[in-house]
Amino acid sequence: MDLPGHHIKRRLQIGKLLLKYGRADLVQVLDLDEAALRGDEDVAAELKADPEQFARDLEEMGPTFIKVGQLLSTRPDLLAQPYLDALSRLQDSVDPFSFADVERIVEEDLSVRISKAFASFESTPLGAASLAQVHRAELRDGRNVVVKVQRPEIREQVIEDLTILEGMVGLVSAHSDVGRRFAVDAMFGEFRRAMVRELDFRREAKNLETIARHLEDYPLLLVPKPINDFSSSRVLTMEHIEGKNVSSLTPLARLELDGEALAESLVKGYLELILIHGVFSADPHPGNLLVTPAGELGLIDMGMVAYLRPQTQDFALRLLVAASEGDSDEVANVIVAMSEQLEDFDELALKRAVADLILPNREASMADLNLGRVVMEMVRIAARCGVRPSPDLTMLGKTLLNLDETTRLLAPDMQPNAIIEEHAASLMQRHLLRSISPGNLFNTALELNEFVQRLPGRMNTIMERITTNQIEVKVHAFDEERLMSNLQKIANRITLGLVVAALIVGAALLTRVPTSFEILGYPALAIILFLGAAAVGFALVVNILLTDRRGAAKR
């Protein structure tokens, strides 16, 4: 590939695309020749451009920009709904490459001739996409498999495209309000990492194993097992799942299926993957799901897998429960906690907008709602109110949208939202049980041990600062005499509390000192100190309660 020529061509294509869809400001930021670009007949068709044409334009630019379109389809804060709908239907399907290239890549990566590794290998692919194509084959032991082979030189092309985009994104991020407001540099960083991961088929093989292990309790859901001995970074061999895409099922074929059972298993399985395990396929659209002759559902294409941190899982669970219960304030709080506040953040406007979205549906059952649409609209509201939405939030909304589309095809009368409500209690219970695993308890014990070890030193530091008048409290008050009196009371309580803490720590240390004078089998001095600390602590609590009650009565 001619890299300098490719670089120039790509910059011109991107510049034309920006002009065609009305972003001359970004063309100027990128220092492109706007006059020369406007002379192109494609750019002159700007007024006729529409969302569907935008999707086709990205598709024509190749695999990297198809993935860019798929990323943009999850960002309602960046694009209007018609564009989101058009991009979500992007077809990653291109003409297949020659079988000679397939044979060469397989033999180079596996270091064995195809005729020796496979009993048969079909030359006509089952399907061809922008990054790879898939062939049906049979191993020597009789197992039917499919072999996913990466396109020749596609890595070099994608890496070059990413390098070009990185430079342009850097300019947009540094010199435009759009770049700063939406943190396009951070967004591109996530996109780049995802693309590089997708180019390594060994990672996809690992994803298949991970998802299959987490879905063992769902017999209706099948995940193809990778054959690691016949796989590499450019070749992935996996078990063949015989079936038809959900999107290609005829109305008659759907009648013969137990679609409701399949849809329920799919939604419950995905909820468990997202909220319990924190790992799931980022694009469960109908084209990636196969219905087998036995009436099972095969999950294929695990190249793009999302991972959620435990804290994000907590937020996702809180968000779904709050949305189902119509608690708009909690929904707004979770959105803010998951996202980044900008300078023009308006909390009141956010809560009002979320309430307008959530409250009208408070009396409706979950079956009448579409949580995917609701979550995506939350992202749009957040951006409008000065909050930079978390990518995890948009990914959650996109996944729920795809699940809704798939369940609508499998069981038209069922909505996944009703299952979410029904399954929420058990999910919360499992999530809590997972949070008190031996590993988490061990970490808590280590933190507690660190706290106890550092407590004496921290107490000495506090006491030293108190005695040397190094502690300052800055307040705005009108009654200085009353303020000083209250501060004196606070200081007395703090000092007394420190004394109680010192007694407890001292007693704990004395329990390790052997002595003949014991009470209940423990060193007597330690027991006396414990009792003294308990008495002083009890008196302090009583004093606080009485003082606070008198203060409340005066008010």
Side-chain angles (χ1 to χ4, degrees):
M1 181 172 58
D2 181 8
L3 296 185
H6 180 76
H7 188 101
I8 295 172
K9 177 183 176 182
R10 276 288 187 248
R11 282 179 59 85
L12 291 175
Q13 287 177 322
I14 294 171
K16 291 176 183 179
L17 200 65
L18 291 172
L19 279 182
K20 187 174 180 180
Y21 294 92
R23 295 315 306 250
D25 56 329
L26 298 183
V27 171
Q28 294 175 0
V29 168
L30 296 173
D31 195 26
L32 296 172
D33 189 344
E34 183 177 346
L37 292 174
R38 286 195 178 276
D40 190 281
E41 60 181 7
D42 290 337
V43 177
E46 176 183 341
L47 296 178
K48 299 179 181 179
D50 59 25
E52 296 295 339
Q53 182 60 47
F54 180 59
R56 288 192 293 271
D57 287 339
L58 289 177
E59 191 173 359
E60 291 173 0
M61 292 176 69
T64 307
F65 292 88
I66 290 175
K67 300 298 181 182
V68 169
Q70 293 172 349
L71 169 66
L72 291 175
S73 71
T74 67
R75 297 301 301 261
D77 53 323
L78 292 174
L79 298 175
Q81 192 60 47
Y83 282 88
L84 300 179
D85 294 337
L87 293 174
S88 66
R89 293 190 293 270
L90 264 177
Q91 296 297 313
D92 191 2
S93 178
V94 296
D95 293 333
F97 55 94
S98 70
F99 184 69
D101 285 328
V102 172
E103 193 171 18
R104 176 180 58 81
I105 292 171
V106 171
E107 292 180 353
E108 284 180 359
D109 276 42
L110 301 186
S111 300
V112 63
R113 294 184 64 84
I114 281 186
S115 58
K116 289 187 176 181
F118 301 92
S120 65
F121 198 108
E122 295 183 0
S123 59
T124 303
L126 293 174
S130 56
L131 294 182
Q133 64 187 35
V134 177
H135 292 258
R136 188 169 182 171
E138 181 183 346
L139 294 177
R140 287 289 178 180
D141 59 10
R143 284 181 291 175
N144 290 321
V145 297
V146 293
V147 184
K148 184 176 180 179
V149 184
Q150 196 169 101
R151 283 186 172 273
E153 297 186 359
I154 195 64
R155 259 184 215 185
E156 293 79 3
Q157 180 183 336
V158 169
I159 296 300
E160 177 64 15
D161 284 342
L162 291 175
T163 302
I164 296 167
L165 286 173
E166 184 176 24
M168 302 179 87
V169 164
L171 289 173
V172 171
S173 179
H175 302 291
S176 74
D177 292 336
V178 172
R180 287 187 290 268
R181 181 173 183 81
F182 295 102
V184 294
D185 52 345
M187 184 169 62
F188 175 77
E190 291 289 337
F191 172 73
R192 182 188 182 99
R193 285 188 288 272
M195 282 295 297
V196 172
R197 286 195 296 263
E198 194 169 359
L199 288 170
D200 186 354
F201 288 171
R202 291 170 298 188
R203 186 177 292 272
E204 183 173 351
K206 184 66 176 177
N207 293 339
L208 289 169
E209 293 175 338
T210 301
I211 299 295
R213 185 172 64 253
H214 292 326
L215 293 179
E216 288 178 347
D217 295 334
Y218 296 88
L220 292 179
L221 303 181
L222 302 179
V223 179
K225 180 181 179 181
I227 313 299
N228 291 319
D229 290 340
F230 295 90
S231 299
S232 68
S233 63
R234 294 191 298 169
V235 178
L236 174 60
T237 303
M238 55 192 143
E239 292 177 339
H240 176 57
I241 295 180
E242 187 70 42
K244 295 183 178 180
N245 286 339
V246 172
S247 56
S248 66
L249 293 176
T250 63
L252 180 60
R254 291 174 192 160
L255 289 175
E256 297 174 351
L257 283 176
D258 187 357
E260 188 166 339
L262 290 178
E264 184 174 351
S265 290
L266 180 65
V267 175
K268 286 184 176 181
Y270 253 85
L271 287 176
E272 183 167 327
L273 290 174
I274 295 170
L275 301 176
I276 304 299
H277 303 293
V279 52
F280 58 97
S281 173
D283 196 16
H285 64 76
N288 285 339
L289 300 170
L290 301 178
V291 176
T292 69
E296 298 163 321
L297 202 60
L299 282 65
I300 60 174
D301 194 359
M302 297 291 172
M304 295 283 285
V305 168
Y307 295 88
L308 298 181
R309 295 176 294 114
Q311 184 182 31
T312 305
Q313 293 173 251
D314 293 338
F315 287 143
L317 183 56
R318 285 172 53 191
L319 183 69
L320 293 179
V321 172
S324 67
E325 294 180 350
D327 188 349
S328 62
D329 283 346
E330 175 64 6
V331 169
N333 291 336
V334 173
I335 292 174
V336 173
M338 290 183 70
S339 308
E340 180 183 351
Q341 298 178 24
L342 303 177
E343 294 179 358
D344 58 345
F345 171 54
D346 190 337
E347 183 177 7
L348 182 59
L350 175 65
K351 289 190 173 183
R352 285 176 177 171
V354 171
D356 290 340
L357 177 66
I358 298 295
L359 294 183
N361 298 308
R362 174 179 286 178
E363 302 302 325
S365 66
M366 284 296 293
D368 298 324
L369 297 177
N370 186 332
L371 272 183
R373 288 285 182 194
V374 170
V375 172
M376 296 298 270
E377 185 60 28
M378 289 176 192
V379 174
R380 196 190 306 276
I381 290 171
R384 193 168 62 240
C385 296
V387 176
R388 182 179 294 151
S390 164
D392 295 326
L393 185 61
T394 61
M395 188 63 67
L396 176 64
K398 180 66 173 178
T399 302
L400 292 173
L401 273 176
N402 283 325
L403 287 177
D404 180 66
E405 180 184 359
T406 303
T407 53
R408 190 180 297 114
L409 292 173
L410 291 170
D413 296 330
M414 190 192 75
Q415 292 279 345
N417 312 295
I419 302 175
I420 293 174
E421 184 182 49
E422 175 188 344
H423 206 39
S426 62
L427 284 172
M428 187 172 293
Q429 182 180 7
R430 292 187 61 184
H431 186 74
L432 292 175
L433 289 175
R434 187 177 177 85
S435 67
I436 57 173
S437 64
N440 288 336
L441 291 177
F442 182 69
N443 288 334
T444 302
L446 289 176
E447 291 176 359
L448 181 61
N449 178 60
E450 182 183 1
F451 170 76
V452 172
Q453 289 180 349
R454 294 187 177 184
L455 182 61
R458 289 172 175 171
M459 290 174 54
N460 287 337
T461 300
I462 293 174
M463 293 295 294
E464 181 179 354
R465 291 186 177 182
I466 291 176
T467 55
T468 57
N469 292 326
Q470 292 182 1
I471 291 182
E472 296 182 359
V473 179
K474 295 182 179 180
V475 296
H476 296 282
F478 297 101
D479 191 343
E480 184 177 347
E481 182 177 350
R482 183 178 178 181
L483 172 64
M484 294 304 298
S485 175
N486 288 334
L487 288 177
Q488 184 66 37
K489 293 178 182 178
I490 292 172
N492 291 340
R493 289 181 179 179
I494 292 174
T495 303
L496 195 55
L498 292 173
V499 171
V500 171
L503 289 173
I504 293 174
V505 173
L509 295 174
L510 287 173
T511 56
R512 298 185 177 183
V513 179
T515 178
S516 58
F517 182 31
E518 297 180 344
I519 299 177
L520 300 176
Y522 294 94
L525 184 56
I527 297 299
I528 293 172
L529 289 176
F530 272 126
L531 293 176
V536 174
F538 179 77
L540 179 60
V541 170
V542 171
N543 177 264
I544 291 173
L545 292 175
L546 291 176
T547 303
D548 290 347
R549 181 174 296 180
R550 285 196 296 268
K554 289 180 180 179
R555 289 194 295 270

